[in-house]
């Protein structure tokens, strides 16, 4: 099983926004709350559910040796100043930098690797 840690970043004027826990500070800003999917060649799928109550659930599936292996992780998150920080139930913490979020996509930067998630 593969556990992917992703880091997100932004260089826009959004950096001075207050903590909004993913709800957006105005009606034109899309929310990070929702279920997002990232796929690689139909052999790796990550589903990330970011909930309004500050919790998350991450499901990763990898097709390996003719079958799907699945890993789960859940816990709490905080979204502030374009940084999305996750703390799993076992205490592991990692942060992502959000490049952009729209009604249909979430684009993130993981230490130079760019990932685009699609809203489900």
């Amino acid at each position: 099983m593969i556990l992917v840690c992703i880091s997100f970043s932004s260089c826009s004027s959004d950096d001075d926004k207050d903590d909004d826990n993913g709800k957006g500070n105005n009606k034109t800003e899309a929310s990070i709350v929702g279920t997002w999917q990232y796929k690689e060649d139909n052999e790796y799928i990550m589903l990330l559910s970011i909930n309004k109550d500050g919790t998350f659930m991450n499901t990763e599936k990898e097709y390996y040796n003719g079958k799907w292996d699945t890993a789960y992780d859940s816990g709490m998150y905080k979204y502030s100043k374009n940084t999305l920080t996750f703390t799993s139930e076992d205490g592991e913490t990692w942060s992502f930098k959000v490049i952009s979020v729209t009604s249909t996509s979430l684009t993130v930067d993981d230490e130079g690797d760019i990932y685009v998630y699609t809203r489900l």
Side-chain angles (χ1 to χ4, degrees):
M1 288 185 249
I2 294 178
L3 179 61
V4 175
C5 291
I6 301 174
S7 178
F8 306 92
S9 72
S10 175
C11 299
S12 72
S13 63
D14 292 342
D15 287 346
D16 59 359
K17 290 183 181 175
D18 294 328
D19 177 19
D20 60 16
N21 211 29
K23 295 187 258 326
N25 287 330
N26 61 53
K27 295 184 189 310
T28 61
E29 182 180 338
S31 173
I32 64 162
V33 172
T35 300
W36 302 93
Q37 179 181 48
Y38 173 77
K39 282 177 120 176
E40 282 184 15
D41 302 324
N42 292 322
E43 293 182 3
Y44 176 79
I45 300 169
M46 183 182 349
L47 293 175
L48 176 61
S49 294
I50 301 174
N51 304 309
K52 193 175 188 177
D53 66 358
T55 62
F56 77 92
M57 174 63 153
N58 188 53
T59 304
E60 296 181 59
K61 294 182 175 187
E62 181 179 27
Y63 195 73
Y64 182 74
N65 287 335
K67 66 176 188 163
W68 286 97
D69 288 329
T70 305
Y72 302 95
D73 200 2
S74 61
M76 302 296 291
Y77 78 90
K78 182 176 179 180
Y79 182 54
S80 180
K81 298 183 181 184
N82 294 324
T83 300
L84 186 54
T85 302
F86 296 94
T87 303
S88 67
E89 291 176 349
D90 66 4
E92 183 181 356
T93 300
W94 64 97
S95 295
F96 303 154
K97 295 292 182 184
V98 176
I99 294 172
S100 69
V101 60
T102 69
S103 62
T104 59
S105 69
L106 172 64
T107 304
V108 300
D109 179 345
D110 178 15
E111 298 179 3
D113 294 323
I114 305 300
Y115 297 94
V116 179
Y117 289 76
T118 303
R119 186 184 299 270
L120 297 180

